[in-house]
Amino acid sequence: MRLLGPVWRNGQVVNERFIGNSAWPAELDATDLQRALTLILVCYPLALALGLSWQ
């Protein structure tokens, strides 16, 4: 997924840089959102458990 670029303001391009591959689509579909949610729900408990056990 392309996260940023290009940015337009008042009909003019103010930023042409990209975060992510410029050939990737800028929009999301349901599958992308489901994958992101799954990643969060798996990684958050692992990071929390690791952080709590670090002490």
Side-chain angles (χ1 to χ4, degrees):
M1 176 182 80
R2 185 176 69 215
L3 298 177
L4 176 73
V7 176
W8 293 78
R9 182 174 292 147
N10 298 327
Q12 294 183 327
V13 177
V14 294
N15 183 6
E16 293 183 2
R17 297 188 180 178
F18 287 88
I19 296 176
N21 188 336
S22 62
W24 293 347
E27 64 276 348
L28 295 173
D29 63 7
T31 304
D32 296 324
L33 295 175
Q34 181 63 43
R35 287 192 333 226
L37 182 59
T38 301
L39 180 65
I40 291 167
L41 292 176
V42 169
C43 291
Y44 174 73
L46 292 174
L48 182 63
L50 181 63
L52 291 174
S53 69
W54 194 270
Q55 297 178 2

Short mmCIF file of all heavy atoms in Angstrom, two decimals:
data_model
loop_
_atom_site.label_atom_id
_atom_site.label_comp_id
_atom_site.label_asym_id
_atom_site.label_seq_id
_atom_site.Cartn_x
_atom_site.Cartn_y
_atom_site.Cartn_z
N MET A 1 0.84 -1.17 0.00
CA MET A 1 0.00 0.00 0.00
C MET A 1 0.89 1.24 0.00
O MET A 1 1.86 1.32 0.73
CB MET A 1 -0.88 0.01 1.24
CG MET A 1 -1.70 1.24 1.35
SD MET A 1 -2.70 1.29 2.82
CE MET A 1 -1.50 1.82 3.99
N ARG A 2 0.54 2.17 -0.81
CA ARG A 2 1.25 3.45 -0.84
C ARG A 2 0.68 4.33 0.26
O ARG A 2 -0.52 4.53 0.36
CB ARG A 2 1.05 4.11 -2.21
CG ARG A 2 1.84 5.39 -2.35
CD ARG A 2 1.71 5.98 -3.73
NE ARG A 2 0.34 6.47 -3.91
CZ ARG A 2 -0.31 6.42 -5.05
NH1 ARG A 2 0.24 5.89 -6.10
NH2 ARG A 2 -1.52 6.89 -5.14
N LEU A 3 1.55 4.86 1.11
CA LEU A 3 1.08 5.63 2.26
C LEU A 3 1.02 7.12 2.00
O LEU A 3 0.24 7.82 2.63
CB LEU A 3 2.00 5.37 3.46
CG LEU A 3 2.06 3.93 3.94
CD1 LEU A 3 3.05 3.80 5.06
CD2 LEU A 3 0.69 3.45 4.36
N LEU A 4 1.86 7.63 1.10
CA LEU A 4 1.92 9.06 0.91
C LEU A 4 2.41 9.38 -0.48
O LEU A 4 3.24 8.68 -1.02
CB LEU A 4 2.88 9.68 1.93
CG LEU A 4 3.15 11.18 1.83
CD1 LEU A 4 1.93 11.94 2.30
CD2 LEU A 4 4.35 11.53 2.65
N GLY A 5 1.91 10.43 -1.09
CA GLY A 5 2.44 10.96 -2.32
C GLY A 5 1.49 10.81 -3.49
O GLY A 5 0.74 9.88 -3.55
N PRO A 6 1.49 11.68 -4.41
CA PRO A 6 1.84 13.09 -4.29
C PRO A 6 0.77 13.85 -3.50
O PRO A 6 -0.34 13.41 -3.38
CB PRO A 6 1.89 13.58 -5.73
CG PRO A 6 0.94 12.70 -6.47
CD PRO A 6 1.04 11.36 -5.78
N VAL A 7 1.16 15.01 -2.96
CA VAL A 7 0.25 15.84 -2.17
C VAL A 7 -0.05 17.10 -2.97
O VAL A 7 0.85 17.76 -3.46
CB VAL A 7 0.88 16.21 -0.81
CG1 VAL A 7 -0.02 17.16 -0.04
CG2 VAL A 7 1.17 14.96 0.00
N TRP A 8 -1.34 17.40 -3.09
CA TRP A 8 -1.78 18.58 -3.84
C TRP A 8 -2.36 19.62 -2.88
O TRP A 8 -3.04 19.28 -1.93
CB TRP A 8 -2.88 18.20 -4.84
CG TRP A 8 -2.38 17.32 -5.93
CD1 TRP A 8 -2.12 15.98 -5.86
CD2 TRP A 8 -2.08 17.72 -7.25
NE1 TRP A 8 -1.67 15.53 -7.06
CE2 TRP A 8 -1.65 16.58 -7.94
CE3 TRP A 8 -2.13 18.93 -7.93
CZ2 TRP A 8 -1.26 16.61 -9.27
CZ3 TRP A 8 -1.76 18.96 -9.25
CH2 TRP A 8 -1.33 17.82 -9.91
N ARG A 9 -2.09 20.90 -3.11
CA ARG A 9 -2.67 21.97 -2.33
C ARG A 9 -2.98 23.13 -3.28
O ARG A 9 -2.11 23.58 -4.01
CB ARG A 9 -1.72 22.43 -1.24
CG ARG A 9 -2.35 23.53 -0.37
CD ARG A 9 -1.51 23.91 0.82
NE ARG A 9 -1.49 22.77 1.75
CZ ARG A 9 -0.45 22.48 2.50
NH1 ARG A 9 0.65 23.19 2.45
NH2 ARG A 9 -0.50 21.46 3.31
N ASN A 10 -4.22 23.58 -3.25
CA ASN A 10 -4.66 24.68 -4.11
C ASN A 10 -4.37 24.42 -5.58
O ASN A 10 -3.95 25.31 -6.32
CB ASN A 10 -4.02 26.01 -3.68
CG ASN A 10 -4.43 26.41 -2.28
OD1 ASN A 10 -5.54 26.14 -1.86
ND2 ASN A 10 -3.53 27.04 -1.56
N GLY A 11 -4.55 23.17 -5.99
CA GLY A 11 -4.37 22.82 -7.41
C GLY A 11 -2.93 22.64 -7.85
O GLY A 11 -2.67 22.44 -9.03
N GLN A 12 -1.97 22.71 -6.93
CA GLN A 12 -0.56 22.54 -7.28
C GLN A 12 0.04 21.41 -6.45
O GLN A 12 -0.30 21.22 -5.29
CB GLN A 12 0.22 23.82 -7.03
CG GLN A 12 -0.18 24.96 -7.94
CD GLN A 12 0.69 26.19 -7.69
OE1 GLN A 12 1.12 26.44 -6.57
NE2 GLN A 12 0.93 26.94 -8.75
N VAL A 13 0.98 20.70 -7.07
CA VAL A 13 1.67 19.63 -6.36
C VAL A 13 2.67 20.25 -5.40
O VAL A 13 3.50 21.07 -5.80
CB VAL A 13 2.42 18.70 -7.36
CG1 VAL A 13 3.20 17.63 -6.60
CG2 VAL A 13 1.44 18.05 -8.31
N VAL A 14 2.57 19.90 -4.12
CA VAL A 14 3.50 20.43 -3.12
C VAL A 14 4.48 19.37 -2.62
O VAL A 14 5.47 19.69 -1.97
CB VAL A 14 2.76 21.06 -1.92
CG1 VAL A 14 2.00 22.29 -2.36
CG2 VAL A 14 1.85 20.07 -1.25
N ASN A 15 4.20 18.10 -2.92
CA ASN A 15 5.08 17.02 -2.51
C ASN A 15 4.92 15.87 -3.49
O ASN A 15 3.82 15.37 -3.67
CB ASN A 15 4.76 16.56 -1.09
CG ASN A 15 5.69 15.50 -0.59
OD1 ASN A 15 6.67 15.14 -1.24
ND2 ASN A 15 5.40 14.98 0.58
N GLU A 16 6.01 15.43 -4.09
CA GLU A 16 5.97 14.31 -5.03
C GLU A 16 6.63 13.06 -4.47
O GLU A 16 6.76 12.08 -5.17
CB GLU A 16 6.64 14.70 -6.34
CG GLU A 16 5.89 15.77 -7.09
CD GLU A 16 6.52 16.10 -8.43
OE1 GLU A 16 7.53 15.46 -8.78
OE2 GLU A 16 5.99 16.99 -9.11
N ARG A 17 7.04 13.08 -3.23
CA ARG A 17 7.73 11.93 -2.64
C ARG A 17 6.71 10.88 -2.20
O ARG A 17 5.58 11.18 -1.87
CB ARG A 17 8.57 12.36 -1.47
CG ARG A 17 9.65 13.31 -1.93
CD ARG A 17 10.60 13.62 -0.87
NE ARG A 17 11.59 14.54 -1.44
CZ ARG A 17 12.56 15.05 -0.77
NH1 ARG A 17 12.72 14.74 0.48
NH2 ARG A 17 13.39 15.87 -1.35
N PHE A 18 7.18 9.65 -2.18
CA PHE A 18 6.33 8.54 -1.82
C PHE A 18 6.90 7.82 -0.62
O PHE A 18 8.10 7.73 -0.45
CB PHE A 18 6.23 7.53 -2.97
CG PHE A 18 5.39 8.00 -4.11
CD1 PHE A 18 5.95 8.73 -5.15
CD2 PHE A 18 4.04 7.74 -4.15
CE1 PHE A 18 5.18 9.16 -6.20
CE2 PHE A 18 3.26 8.17 -5.20
CZ PHE A 18 3.85 8.88 -6.23
N ILE A 19 6.03 7.31 0.22
CA ILE A 19 6.38 6.33 1.23
C ILE A 19 5.71 5.05 0.76
O ILE A 19 4.50 4.98 0.63
CB ILE A 19 5.86 6.72 2.63
CG1 ILE A 19 6.52 8.00 3.10
CG2 ILE A 19 6.11 5.59 3.62
CD1 ILE A 19 5.99 8.51 4.42
N GLY A 20 6.50 4.06 0.48
CA GLY A 20 5.98 2.83 -0.13
C GLY A 20 6.26 2.85 -1.62
O GLY A 20 6.79 3.81 -2.18
N ASN A 21 5.91 1.80 -2.29
CA ASN A 21 6.14 1.67 -3.72
C ASN A 21 5.13 2.54 -4.46
O ASN A 21 3.92 2.41 -4.28
CB ASN A 21 6.00 0.21 -4.12
CG ASN A 21 6.41 -0.06 -5.54
OD1 ASN A 21 6.38 0.84 -6.38
ND2 ASN A 21 6.78 -1.28 -5.81
N SER A 22 5.61 3.41 -5.34
CA SER A 22 4.71 4.32 -6.05
C SER A 22 3.75 3.60 -7.00
O SER A 22 2.73 4.16 -7.38
CB SER A 22 5.52 5.36 -6.82
OG SER A 22 6.31 4.73 -7.80
N ALA A 23 4.06 2.37 -7.36
CA ALA A 23 3.18 1.61 -8.24
C ALA A 23 2.04 0.95 -7.47
O ALA A 23 1.07 0.49 -8.08
CB ALA A 23 3.98 0.55 -8.98
N TRP A 24 2.13 0.87 -6.17
CA TRP A 24 1.08 0.25 -5.38
C TRP A 24 -0.12 1.17 -5.27
O TRP A 24 0.02 2.39 -5.30
CB TRP A 24 1.59 -0.09 -3.99
CG TRP A 24 2.63 -1.16 -3.94
CD1 TRP A 24 2.98 -2.01 -4.95
CD2 TRP A 24 3.47 -1.47 -2.85
NE1 TRP A 24 3.99 -2.83 -4.54
CE2 TRP A 24 4.31 -2.53 -3.26
CE3 TRP A 24 3.61 -0.97 -1.58
CZ2 TRP A 24 5.26 -3.09 -2.42
CZ3 TRP A 24 4.57 -1.53 -0.74
CH2 TRP A 24 5.36 -2.57 -1.16
N PRO A 25 -1.30 0.62 -5.10
CA PRO A 25 -2.50 1.48 -5.00
C PRO A 25 -2.54 2.23 -3.68
O PRO A 25 -2.04 1.76 -2.66
CB PRO A 25 -3.65 0.47 -5.09
CG PRO A 25 -3.08 -0.82 -4.63
CD PRO A 25 -1.63 -0.80 -5.05
N ALA A 26 -3.13 3.41 -3.72
CA ALA A 26 -3.25 4.23 -2.52
C ALA A 26 -4.47 3.84 -1.68
O ALA A 26 -4.54 4.16 -0.51
CB ALA A 26 -3.32 5.70 -2.90
N GLU A 27 -5.42 3.18 -2.28
CA GLU A 27 -6.65 2.85 -1.56
C GLU A 27 -6.54 1.47 -0.90
O GLU A 27 -5.72 0.65 -1.27
CB GLU A 27 -7.85 2.89 -2.49
CG GLU A 27 -7.83 1.86 -3.60
CD GLU A 27 -7.03 2.30 -4.81
OE1 GLU A 27 -6.66 3.47 -4.91
OE2 GLU A 27 -6.76 1.44 -5.65
N LEU A 28 -7.36 1.25 0.09
CA LEU A 28 -7.41 -0.02 0.81
C LEU A 28 -8.68 -0.76 0.45
O LEU A 28 -9.69 -0.16 0.12
CB LEU A 28 -7.42 0.23 2.31
CG LEU A 28 -6.18 0.87 2.91
CD1 LEU A 28 -6.45 1.20 4.37
CD2 LEU A 28 -5.01 -0.05 2.79
N ASP A 29 -8.63 -2.07 0.56
CA ASP A 29 -9.86 -2.85 0.43
C ASP A 29 -10.04 -3.65 1.72
O ASP A 29 -9.23 -3.55 2.65
CB ASP A 29 -9.85 -3.74 -0.82
CG ASP A 29 -8.76 -4.81 -0.80
OD1 ASP A 29 -8.08 -4.96 0.23
OD2 ASP A 29 -8.60 -5.49 -1.81
N ALA A 30 -11.08 -4.41 1.80
CA ALA A 30 -11.41 -5.13 3.04
C ALA A 30 -10.32 -6.12 3.43
O ALA A 30 -10.04 -6.32 4.61
CB ALA A 30 -12.75 -5.84 2.88
N THR A 31 -9.67 -6.74 2.45
CA THR A 31 -8.61 -7.71 2.73
C THR A 31 -7.42 -7.03 3.40
O THR A 31 -6.84 -7.57 4.35
CB THR A 31 -8.16 -8.39 1.43
OG1 THR A 31 -9.28 -8.98 0.80
CG2 THR A 31 -7.13 -9.47 1.70
N ASP A 32 -7.05 -5.84 2.92
CA ASP A 32 -5.93 -5.10 3.52
C ASP A 32 -6.23 -4.74 4.97
O ASP A 32 -5.37 -4.86 5.84
CB ASP A 32 -5.64 -3.83 2.73
CG ASP A 32 -5.17 -4.11 1.33
OD1 ASP A 32 -4.43 -5.10 1.12
OD2 ASP A 32 -5.54 -3.34 0.43
N LEU A 33 -7.44 -4.29 5.23
CA LEU A 33 -7.83 -3.92 6.59
C LEU A 33 -7.85 -5.14 7.51
O LEU A 33 -7.43 -5.05 8.66
CB LEU A 33 -9.18 -3.22 6.58
CG LEU A 33 -9.20 -1.87 5.85
CD1 LEU A 33 -10.61 -1.32 5.80
CD2 LEU A 33 -8.27 -0.88 6.52
N GLN A 34 -8.31 -6.26 7.00
CA GLN A 34 -8.34 -7.49 7.80
C GLN A 34 -6.93 -7.94 8.15
O GLN A 34 -6.64 -8.33 9.27
CB GLN A 34 -9.09 -8.59 7.06
CG GLN A 34 -9.19 -9.89 7.84
CD GLN A 34 -9.98 -9.74 9.11
OE1 GLN A 34 -11.02 -9.10 9.12
NE2 GLN A 34 -9.50 -10.33 10.18
N ARG A 35 -6.01 -7.86 7.19
CA ARG A 35 -4.62 -8.26 7.45
C ARG A 35 -3.98 -7.33 8.47
O ARG A 35 -3.24 -7.77 9.35
CB ARG A 35 -3.81 -8.25 6.15
CG ARG A 35 -4.16 -9.40 5.24
CD ARG A 35 -3.19 -9.57 4.10
NE ARG A 35 -2.52 -8.36 3.69
CZ ARG A 35 -2.38 -7.96 2.45
NH1 ARG A 35 -2.87 -8.67 1.47
NH2 ARG A 35 -1.73 -6.84 2.16
N ALA A 36 -4.25 -6.03 8.38
CA ALA A 36 -3.68 -5.07 9.33
C ALA A 36 -4.22 -5.34 10.74
O ALA A 36 -3.47 -5.32 11.71
CB ALA A 36 -3.99 -3.65 8.90
N LEU A 37 -5.50 -5.58 10.86
CA LEU A 37 -6.11 -5.87 12.16
C LEU A 37 -5.55 -7.16 12.74
O LEU A 37 -5.24 -7.22 13.94
CB LEU A 37 -7.63 -5.96 12.02
CG LEU A 37 -8.40 -6.22 13.31
CD1 LEU A 37 -8.12 -5.12 14.33
CD2 LEU A 37 -9.88 -6.30 13.04
N THR A 38 -5.39 -8.18 11.93
CA THR A 38 -4.81 -9.44 12.40
C THR A 38 -3.39 -9.23 12.90
O THR A 38 -3.01 -9.75 13.95
CB THR A 38 -4.83 -10.48 11.26
OG1 THR A 38 -6.18 -10.69 10.84
CG2 THR A 38 -4.23 -11.80 11.71
N LEU A 39 -2.60 -8.46 12.16
CA LEU A 39 -1.23 -8.17 12.58
C LEU A 39 -1.21 -7.47 13.94
O LEU A 39 -0.43 -7.82 14.83
CB LEU A 39 -0.54 -7.31 11.52
CG LEU A 39 0.90 -6.92 11.81
CD1 LEU A 39 1.80 -8.15 11.84
CD2 LEU A 39 1.39 -5.94 10.76
N ILE A 40 -2.08 -6.49 14.12
CA ILE A 40 -2.16 -5.77 15.39
C ILE A 40 -2.58 -6.70 16.52
O ILE A 40 -1.98 -6.68 17.60
CB ILE A 40 -3.13 -4.58 15.27
CG1 ILE A 40 -2.53 -3.52 14.35
CG2 ILE A 40 -3.44 -3.99 16.65
CD1 ILE A 40 -3.52 -2.46 13.93
N LEU A 41 -3.60 -7.52 16.28
CA LEU A 41 -4.11 -8.39 17.34
C LEU A 41 -3.14 -9.49 17.72
O LEU A 41 -3.20 -10.02 18.83
CB LEU A 41 -5.45 -8.99 16.91
CG LEU A 41 -6.60 -7.99 16.82
CD1 LEU A 41 -7.86 -8.67 16.30
CD2 LEU A 41 -6.86 -7.33 18.16
N VAL A 42 -2.22 -9.85 16.84
CA VAL A 42 -1.21 -10.86 17.14
C VAL A 42 0.00 -10.21 17.80
O VAL A 42 0.53 -10.71 18.79
CB VAL A 42 -0.80 -11.62 15.86
CG1 VAL A 42 0.44 -12.47 16.10
CG2 VAL A 42 -1.94 -12.49 15.38
N CYS A 43 0.46 -9.09 17.27
CA CYS A 43 1.69 -8.47 17.76
C CYS A 43 1.52 -7.74 19.08
O CYS A 43 2.45 -7.73 19.90
CB CYS A 43 2.24 -7.51 16.71
SG CYS A 43 2.86 -8.36 15.25
N TYR A 44 0.38 -7.13 19.32
CA TYR A 44 0.19 -6.37 20.56
C TYR A 44 0.33 -7.25 21.80
O TYR A 44 1.08 -6.91 22.72
CB TYR A 44 -1.15 -5.64 20.54
CG TYR A 44 -1.44 -4.95 21.85
CD1 TYR A 44 -0.75 -3.80 22.21
CD2 TYR A 44 -2.37 -5.48 22.74
CE1 TYR A 44 -0.98 -3.18 23.43
CE2 TYR A 44 -2.61 -4.86 23.95
CZ TYR A 44 -1.92 -3.71 24.28
OH TYR A 44 -2.15 -3.10 25.48
N PRO A 45 -0.38 -8.39 21.87
CA PRO A 45 -0.22 -9.22 23.08
C PRO A 45 1.21 -9.74 23.24
O PRO A 45 1.71 -9.84 24.36
CB PRO A 45 -1.20 -10.38 22.87
CG PRO A 45 -2.17 -9.88 21.88
CD PRO A 45 -1.44 -8.91 21.01
N LEU A 46 1.87 -10.06 22.14
CA LEU A 46 3.26 -10.52 22.23
C LEU A 46 4.17 -9.42 22.76
O LEU A 46 5.02 -9.66 23.63
CB LEU A 46 3.75 -10.99 20.86
CG LEU A 46 3.10 -12.27 20.32
CD1 LEU A 46 3.56 -12.54 18.90
CD2 LEU A 46 3.39 -13.44 21.23
N ALA A 47 4.01 -8.21 22.27
CA ALA A 47 4.83 -7.09 22.73
C ALA A 47 4.51 -6.77 24.20
O ALA A 47 5.42 -6.47 24.98
CB ALA A 47 4.58 -5.87 21.85
N LEU A 48 3.26 -6.84 24.57
CA LEU A 48 2.87 -6.59 25.95
C LEU A 48 3.48 -7.63 26.89
O LEU A 48 4.04 -7.29 27.93
CB LEU A 48 1.34 -6.58 26.08
CG LEU A 48 0.78 -6.29 27.46
CD1 LEU A 48 1.17 -4.89 27.91
CD2 LEU A 48 -0.73 -6.46 27.45
N ALA A 49 3.39 -8.90 26.52
CA ALA A 49 3.96 -9.97 27.34
C ALA A 49 5.47 -9.82 27.45
O ALA A 49 6.04 -9.99 28.54
CB ALA A 49 3.60 -11.33 26.74
N LEU A 50 6.12 -9.48 26.36
CA LEU A 50 7.57 -9.28 26.39
C LEU A 50 7.93 -8.10 27.28
O LEU A 50 8.86 -8.17 28.09
CB LEU A 50 8.10 -9.06 24.98
CG LEU A 50 9.60 -8.86 24.85
CD1 LEU A 50 10.35 -10.09 25.30
CD2 LEU A 50 9.96 -8.50 23.42
N GLY A 51 7.18 -7.02 27.18
CA GLY A 51 7.45 -5.85 28.00
C GLY A 51 7.24 -6.11 29.47
O GLY A 51 8.02 -5.65 30.31
N LEU A 52 6.20 -6.84 29.81
CA LEU A 52 5.92 -7.14 31.21
C LEU A 52 6.94 -8.12 31.80
O LEU A 52 7.25 -8.06 32.99
CB LEU A 52 4.51 -7.69 31.38
CG LEU A 52 3.38 -6.68 31.12
CD1 LEU A 52 2.03 -7.37 31.18
CD2 LEU A 52 3.45 -5.52 32.10
N SER A 53 7.45 -9.02 30.98
CA SER A 53 8.43 -9.99 31.48
C SER A 53 9.82 -9.41 31.54
O SER A 53 10.72 -10.00 32.15
CB SER A 53 8.42 -11.25 30.59
OG SER A 53 8.96 -10.93 29.30
N TRP A 54 10.05 -8.27 30.93
CA TRP A 54 11.37 -7.64 30.88
C TRP A 54 11.81 -7.14 32.26
O TRP A 54 12.99 -7.07 32.55
CB TRP A 54 11.32 -6.47 29.89
CG TRP A 54 12.68 -5.98 29.50
CD1 TRP A 54 13.40 -5.02 30.11
CD2 TRP A 54 13.47 -6.44 28.41
NE1 TRP A 54 14.58 -4.84 29.45
CE2 TRP A 54 14.65 -5.70 28.40
CE3 TRP A 54 13.26 -7.41 27.44
CZ2 TRP A 54 15.64 -5.90 27.46
CZ3 TRP A 54 14.25 -7.60 26.50
CH2 TRP A 54 15.43 -6.86 26.51
N GLN A 55 10.87 -6.78 33.10
CA GLN A 55 11.19 -6.18 34.39
C GLN A 55 11.85 -7.15 35.32
O GLN A 55 11.77 -8.11 35.70
CB GLN A 55 9.93 -5.62 35.04
CG GLN A 55 9.36 -4.54 34.22
CD GLN A 55 8.07 -3.99 34.82
OE1 GLN A 55 7.63 -4.41 35.87
NE2 GLN A 55 7.46 -3.05 34.14
#
